[in-house]
Amino acid sequence: MSKQYILSFDQGTTSSRSVLYDLSRQQIGMESVALTPIYPNPGWVEHDPYELLNSQIDSARLLLAKFNIAARDILSIGITNQRETTIVWDKLTGKPIYNAIVWQDTRTSEFCQNLIKDGLADVLLEKTGLMVDSYFSATKIHWILQHVPDALQKAKDGELLFGTVDSWLLWNLTNGEVHATDVSNASRTMLFNISSLAWDEGLLNLFEIPATMLPVVKGTADNYGFVKAKLFGSEIPVNAIVGDQQAALFGQLCFKPGEVKNTYGTGCFMLMNTGNKLVRSNAGLISTIAWKIGDTVCYALEGSIFIGGAVIQWLRDELEMLQTAAESEKLAKTVNDTNGVYLVPAFSGLGAPYWNMDARGVLCGLTRGAKRAHIVRAALESIAYQTKDVLNAMIKDSGLLLNTLKVDGGAAENDFLMQFQANVLHASVIRPTQIESTARGAMLLAGVQAQSWSVDELKDMKEDLHMFRSDMDDAKRRQLYAGWKEAVEMTIRNNK
Ligand code: ADP
């Protein structure tokens, strides 16, 4: 039988998933294996690199067994992954010299502050499109080389390799034959020049990272070698590597400049396609590479919201106002408005476009009439207002107009939230039925490389979706948003 499936590996922060698609791009099934993060110190977050690898392999084996599909029936694999997470391993033994340091880990914050004090923020922004932050890989690699005995010397002697999770998986899946990454992942390391598309020598010197450690940077849809037959029974080509948020942008078919997707998870991640233009932000958004297909590079603006769906978790777990996250929808619909209540969940400061790390949360506008339903509704509305804040910044930075927002992620299941989102944006919110945008993006990219379809064909792809249209009048929208802005002011004022 001819090869008729594409497999996505979606290596995330909380689980490793494998998703199987047929060549009409329909999802056949999915299996996931949960991960156990390691918290050695406050603010530190690690993973066992072998757990990342083995959970990914296990999820694929479970999936193939469940549907009785052999590796020889699989045309291609696309890998998408949690970004920035850093692994350094020994080239000869293949063993990591330290755990994977996860993107959320803040152990290098002080080092980052010192870089800012030394006046390096502008040059780093200019070259990499990023703000100096412990989030990105460079300071994590630096930390490992400085803290693991003999590591720096070994690195200088060419004995160590660095990779984000995609490279670590690929190197192991190809039995150490291919040490590579793609431009979307490289652009999150803070070592990659996003204009010249090359590792930056000056930055490597700054962070004392020998160039011999670095993976080769390839296109997002490209030939990445073969997963060895010993793993699944036959060799399978790897045809795409892409960071998770960029994968979701592709999976949501945001191919044109100005198209935006927002993922409503624990936090929210919004990306806007800016085409072949590297747009610089004046509002603290990140400029990043979305993908490279053939010789064509596509850039994106990215903004993140720290507390998205997490505000609902907080109502459920800390305030015990809800039994389940989904219950928030029913409750919010029992009232017509928030009765003047605003909740700004600045629990760990405010991100774009405010960038105030000292801001703290505010619940305001309370009267004797304020009920649980009003507070729950205000929490949901806060996710939509924060999204509007970031989107406004993107529109200003890019000069591109927006009339639709594509959505995915756990909290995007909430119909009340999506309708309110459409209302405060005065735009249509589009939610596809296939909500696994990340895995889908990796599959679509792998299919491009395997010549199952072209990007042009994908542009015309018909999808099942749910559209939420704005049905609020302008005056009301302006009045509500002005109230939000006042509440945001309070989070900052209260801490002066
Ligand atoms: P992540 O990938 O960040 O783990 P998910 O995409 O699985 O997140 O989304 C989970 C988040 O969405 C949680 O913070 C949860 O509180 C929130 N959430 C899930 N379902 C709903 C819902 N129906 N309404 C509102 N929030 C929800």
Side-chain angles (χ1 to χ4, degrees):
M1 216 184 331
S2 63
K3 295 177 187 295
Q4 48 191 327
Y5 302 102
I6 296 182
L7 187 57
S8 267
F9 284 175
D10 180 0
Q11 203 308 299
T13 315
T14 50
S15 70
S16 295
R17 304 188 224 220
S18 291
V19 189
L20 188 70
Y21 298 87
D22 64 19
L23 293 187
S24 64
R25 301 181 284 259
Q26 293 306 307
Q27 183 176 319
I28 306 290
M30 176 177 81
E31 283 293 328
S32 80
V33 175
L35 299 169
T36 320
I38 304 162
Y39 304 108
N41 282 311
W44 293 30
V45 190
E46 298 178 359
H47 274 302
D48 172 355
Y50 283 116
E51 190 188 12
L52 299 180
L53 174 68
N54 293 331
S55 58
Q56 191 61 63
I57 296 170
D58 289 349
S59 66
R61 285 189 176 143
L62 284 169
L63 182 64
L64 298 185
K66 186 167 165 188
F67 291 92
N68 198 17
I69 285 165
R72 64 174 178 279
D73 298 331
I74 295 171
L75 177 69
S76 180
I77 288 178
I79 299 177
T80 178
N81 56 289
Q82 53 170 311
R83 306 173 302 173
E84 297 102 11
T85 298
T86 297
I87 305 169
V88 176
W89 67 95
D90 187 302
K91 197 173 171 175
L92 212 63
T93 64
K95 289 211 169 71
I97 64 164
Y98 193 79
N99 274 338
I101 302 186
V102 178
W103 55 276
Q104 297 150 322
D105 188 296
T106 55
R107 78 185 67 187
T108 59
S109 289
E110 204 181 315
F111 181 53
C112 290
Q113 285 311 313
N114 289 336
L115 293 171
I116 296 168
K117 272 192 215 132
D118 291 345
L120 291 163
D122 284 351
V123 65
L124 279 157
L125 181 67
E126 169 66 27
K127 288 180 169 183
T128 67
L130 308 174
M131 274 162 295
V132 180
D133 198 283
S134 58
Y135 192 59
F136 307 107
S137 315
T139 62
K140 299 182 196 291
I141 308 173
H142 176 83
W143 190 94
I144 293 176
L145 295 186
Q146 299 295 325
H147 288 81
V148 175
D150 302 331
L152 189 57
Q153 191 53 48
K154 277 191 171 163
K156 285 181 179 161
D157 293 342
E159 293 172 22
L160 299 182
L161 298 178
F162 151 75
T164 38
V165 175
D166 53 309
S167 299
W168 165 248
L169 293 181
L170 184 71
W171 195 82
N172 281 284
L173 295 170
T174 61
N175 201 22
E177 274 175 21
V178 187
H179 184 219
T181 189
D182 92 298
V183 287
S184 71
N185 276 292
S187 73
R188 318 296 299 188
T189 57
M190 215 158 74
L191 298 171
F192 192 69
N193 187 313
I194 60 169
S195 309
S196 65
L197 304 184
W199 297 117
D200 188 279
E201 228 183 277
L203 297 182
L204 293 178
N205 288 336
L206 173 68
F207 293 107
E208 295 177 83
I209 298 170
T212 49
M213 294 181 74
L214 302 175
V216 171
V217 184
K218 295 171 75 90
T220 307
D222 212 325
N223 293 328
Y224 282 95
F226 294 83
V227 174
K228 290 292 170 199
K230 67 174 184 194
L231 286 172
F232 302 109
S234 319
E235 279 198 338
I236 311 171
V238 178
N239 287 139
I241 286 188
V242 59
D244 53 9
Q245 298 305 323
Q246 287 93 331
L249 189 70
F250 200 89
Q252 287 270 25
L253 312 180
C254 293
F255 302 138
K256 286 203 236 62
E259 290 188 324
V260 186
K261 72 91 197 173
N262 193 25
T263 300
Y264 298 77
T266 309
C268 297
F269 284 94
M270 197 188 299
L271 267 76
M272 173 189 266
N273 181 326
T274 62
N276 56 12
K277 236 172 84 190
L278 199 182
V279 173
R280 305 270 178 192
S281 172
N282 293 313
L285 302 174
I286 285 166
S287 312
T288 201
I289 299 178
W291 51 75
K292 180 171 171 243
I293 300 174
D295 292 329
T296 309
V297 181
C298 181
Y299 289 94
L301 273 174
E302 174 172 328
S304 42
I305 294 163
F306 303 145
I307 305 293
V311 70
I312 303 301
Q313 281 169 346
W314 176 71
L315 290 184
R316 187 192 61 194
D317 302 339
E318 266 71 38
L319 299 197
E320 298 177 19
M321 281 192 180
L322 297 166
Q323 296 280 328
T324 64
E327 192 194 334
S328 62
E329 177 174 342
K330 219 172 62 207
L331 208 56
K333 284 178 171 165
T334 62
V335 286
N336 290 327
D337 54 35
T338 66
N339 203 0
V341 175
Y342 283 93
L343 172 59
V344 187
F347 299 152
S348 42
L350 281 172
Y354 306 106
W355 288 110
N356 189 318
M357 292 306 126
D358 300 323
R360 287 296 173 265
V362 156
L363 180 63
C364 63
L366 294 173
T367 58
R368 183 65 181 78
K371 293 188 164 73
R372 182 167 70 111
H374 295 126
I375 294 172
V376 170
R377 183 167 170 134
L380 287 171
E381 291 188 358
S382 79
I383 304 174
Y385 288 128
Q386 293 183 89
T387 299
K388 182 177 169 89
D389 288 340
V390 176
L391 205 55
N392 281 351
M394 277 187 178
I395 292 169
K396 237 188 251 164
D397 282 335
S398 66
L400 296 165
L401 276 178
L402 171 122
N403 44 31
T404 56
L405 176 70
K406 295 187 176 174
V407 300
D408 52 51
E413 302 277 0
N414 188 310
D415 286 356
F416 165 78
L417 172 59
M418 293 302 105
Q419 183 57 51
F420 189 76
Q421 186 71 81
N423 290 351
V424 289
L425 291 177
H426 193 46
S428 297
V429 168
I430 296 176
R431 184 179 66 196
T433 314
Q434 275 196 38
I435 208 138
E436 293 285 336
S437 308
T438 308
R440 188 169 181 239
M443 173 273 292
L444 294 176
L445 283 157
V448 167
Q449 186 63 18
Q451 301 192 328
S452 300
W453 45 75
S454 66
V455 178
D456 277 339
E457 273 170 65
L458 295 179
K459 284 178 187 157
D460 301 326
M461 205 169 129
K462 293 276 168 287
E463 301 183 90
D464 277 345
L465 42 85
H466 193 132
M467 170 106 73
F468 298 86
R469 288 193 175 81
S470 164
D471 61 7
M472 184 182 274
D473 66 63
D474 278 346
K476 178 90 182 153
R477 176 172 28 257
R478 270 199 294 273
Q479 178 218 332
L480 286 176
Y481 192 55
W484 165 255
K485 287 291 202 186
E486 272 177 41
V488 169
E489 268 296 300
M490 284 182 219
T491 69
I492 299 164
R493 207 166 49 221
N494 285 351
N495 286 291
K496 273 190 183 145

